[in-house]
Amino acid sequence: MTTIKEVSELAGVSLATVSRVMNGSDQVTQRTKDKVKKAMETLGYRPNTMAQSLASGKSNSIGMMISELHGPFYGPLMSGAEKVIRQANKQFLVVASHGDENSEKKAIDYLLGCKCDGLILHSETLSDEELIKISESGIEIVLINRYVKGLEDKCMSIDNVKGSKISTEWLIENGHTKIACILGPQWKHDARERFWGYQHALTDARIPLDPTLLVSGDFQESGGREGVKQLLDAKKEFTAILCGNDETAFGAIEELTNRGIKVPEDISVIGFDDVQFSRMISPKLTTIRYPIYDVGLEASAEILAKVYQIKNAIPDGEKVHGIFEPQLISRESVKNIKS
Amino acid sequence: MTTIKEVSELAGVSLATVSRVMNGSDQVTQRTKDKVKKAMETLGYRPNTMAQSLASGKSNSIGMMISELHGPFYGPLMSGAEKVIRQANKQFLVVASHGDENSEKKAIDYLLGCKCDGLILHSETLSDEELIKISESGIEIVLINRYVKGLEDKCMSIDNVKGSKISTEWLIENGHTKIACILGPQWKHDARERFWGYQHALTDARIPLDPTLLVSGDFQESGGREGVKQLLDAKKEFTAILCGNDETAFGAIEELTNRGIKVPEDISVIGFDDVQFSRMISPKLTTIRYPIYDVGLEASAEILAKVYQIKNAIPDGEKVHGIFEPQLISRESVKNIKS
DNA sequence: AAATTAAATGAAAGCGCTTACTTTTAGTTT
DNA sequence: AAACTAAAAGTAAGCGCTTTCATTTAATTT
């Protein structure tokens, strides 16, 4: 493997000079620069990033932790983040935490061990205190999908409460009052917040909350299917189902359809997130748009600004700048049943 | 930041001993081990992976290059790979090449600069020669979706030719003879291979290839839509469309439906890949299953074996072991038109 | 108890780079 | 042309760890 030493020897200069050329210092004559560059070229030299990091004390990398690497939600989130970071010529490190608390801790530990200059965290299990502790340990962080008191300027998320309030209201506007709800796991922050939104909307409309219309899901297709089964088997009466997210909604629609119940003619269904397949399924899903790709973009831009003072990291035309307002996307899965 | 030095001082041992404890050497008394571990604990010590790599000459990391980080195809591929690698306690580094040749080179350069111990490459633009050169430079690689002469044992892919041959044959079996084809970009290896499969099947069935039934796509939804437009506007006669992949198929179905043409009653459509949404759309897509998650799993296992001699990296029950046979998944988008 | 041997620990030399500090070189000024 | 100054290049000390080799310690043998 070629090292800086060999380059310096070929070019007939010192190590320091080669290093300067690499780092674009202006303390070097053009003539010397050329010599060094030519030497690097002919040797096929490639700096060892480990050594660079060790020596300079910065790793030029941003770490990201998310639950899963794939899927219609995490995929775009990660992809957006990566795009901006690579564009800024920094390294991008992702780890999947797979959702449980211990793994999340390990994942963050790993990222810290890599001496990332900054962290983008999508934490589902860590407590506010733990997050504050990490932040206080000196590393810059950006939190996705959390709102932690004391770290307000590091949080980046849409308003889940508002989102599901909007969707519940939409259902109500369309004449629904018996609205079932297939929730996400209640130990997840966003699931809880989405439940609150539902409650708020109900309260505002003076519709009493019927606990028997609530079933817990898992944010997945299977949860949607199971939820419908429970609801139907218990012979509950309802005209609409508010789902914790789009996957759940899809599962619900599937199960309803299988049982010969038509969506939205017999029962309306509304989702949350607006992931890729939402507009592909039949009926096209009415849902709340969560601009997840943009969140990835912005989170990266934020951390780049904080850590490296890089401004304008986001390409023009893609910037949303902080306005992650949940937005209703009305498609085909909700029927107006007002007489 | 706590370093090994501080730990050694607190524990009252030498640096070397601390290092030994970290690396699980059996050359240390249990008593000393305990002392050191306690010291690490109280200091909250976390080894610097950069320093470890630099000193040991191995980075304990596997790099992966793919075109995109998200999407129904790359998502599972990456996720599968990550799972196995993290399980083996190695680091996982992904970079997106975004498909063009220059970026692919840069991406690989980056990975090499990180001194990855091994590379998983999904290269679309690099020539066989370039790949061979990389391999010869000494780093272990596994190639996904390529078959390179001279690197046979490093290639991991399904048989695209066979896959589209099977799907074309399925169409023929169902009575179709006028089969249009919306291809993928022909500079991509897999797109070319899928085209060959189509040709083979036609030849075998003694159906002449009608070049006016061929339209080039982009492996995306838009390509499917455009393809159908072209085909229809040119007033071609056909009863089925073979699509380069599922995204294309979805676009095609969308456009057909928009124009009042029913799938599969009027025209049959077949896809390739069997990505997540294929079974979610309506009609459910008949397609060729590409076990992409498994490919990710196996690719990682392969590289772990090569680089670290780790066997059995794949959890039981998930192992497919090399049999990436394309498989027809018959759903609803193909109609039997045999009178 | 002395001698022998094996196990445990320590000392120190790097890994490939950056960077503060020093020296050399070349350009200005008088 | 001597003296001064600023720019360019070089020297060397780390960054935090691993690892070889030397040393100490403890266990075993005679």
Side-chain angles (χ1 to χ4, degrees), chain B residues 67-85:
Chain B
S67 296
E68 298 295 338
L69 258 30
H70 66 285
F73 187 82
Y74 297 113
L77 174 60
M78 170 179 49
S79 200
E82 192 260 7
K83 181 173 181 186
V84 172
I85 289 170

Side-chain angles (χ1 to χ4, degrees), chain A residues 86-103:
Chain A
R86 297 279 302 157
Q87 223 150 242
N89 245 312
K90 302 296 174 186
Q91 305 177 17
F92 178 70
L93 244 172
V94 235
V95 311
S97 69
H98 302 300
D100 76 284
E101 185 168 353
N102 203 27
S103 318

Side-chain angles (χ1 to χ4, degrees), chain A residues 162-186:
Chain A
K162 194 166 176 186
S164 65
K165 184 155 179 274
I166 291 174
S167 64
T168 311
E169 283 167 354
W170 179 246
L171 255 15
I172 296 171
E173 267 178 54
N174 278 276
H176 300 271
T177 52
K178 294 182 190 312
I179 303 172
C181 194
I182 304 178
L183 307 164
Q186 291 300 298

Side-chain angles (χ1 to χ4, degrees), chain B residues 13-14 16-17 20 27-29 32 54-55:
Chain B
V13 298
S14 71
T17 303
R20 284 188 191 104
Q27 302 254 83
V28 189
T29 337
T32 326
L54 189 57

Side-chain angles (χ1 to χ4, degrees), chain A residues 217-260:
Chain A
D218 56 1
F219 270 163
Q220 298 186 339
E221 212 179 304
S222 53
R225 261 187 265 117
E226 284 306 315
V228 166
K229 266 183 210 162
Q230 284 182 38
L231 251 14
L232 255 30
D233 291 352
K235 308 243 182 263
K236 301 295 171 197
E237 244 185 78
F238 57 92
T239 59
I241 309 178
L242 180 93
C243 295
N245 66 358
D246 288 353
E247 329 254 345
T248 307
F250 176 71
I253 292 175
E254 231 184 345
E255 185 64 26
L256 289 167
T257 310
N258 282 347
R259 296 189 174 217

Side-chain angles (χ1 to χ4, degrees), chain A residues 62 66 71 74 108 146 174 193 199 215 230 232 265 269 271 283 285 293 310:
Chain A
I62 298 295
I66 47 183
Y74 297 112
I108 292 179
R146 285 287 285 263
N174 278 276
E193 288 168 8
Q199 293 172 276
V215 358
Q230 284 182 38
L232 255 30
E265 290 77 5
V269 173
L285 191 65
Y293 182 79
I310 296 177

Side-chain angles (χ1 to χ4, degrees), chain A residues 111-163:
Chain A
L111 256 16
L112 291 174
C114 293
K115 301 295 167 219
C116 291
D117 298 331
L119 256 34
I120 301 176
L121 267 22
H122 181 281
S123 170
E124 307 208 295
T125 66
L126 262 32
S127 67
D128 287 7
E129 290 70 40
E130 283 168 311
L131 291 170
I132 291 175
K133 199 159 70 182
I134 293 170
S135 170
E136 279 173 350
S137 80
I139 189 164
E140 282 293 350
I141 62 174
V142 163
L143 263 22
I144 288 176
N145 228 13
R146 285 287 285 263
Y147 184 82
V148 177
K149 269 236 173 72
L151 299 178
E152 288 84 359
D153 56 323
K154 303 181 194 310
C155 294
M156 187 146 280
S157 68
I158 64 158
D159 192 334
N160 281 297
V161 180
K162 194 166 176 186

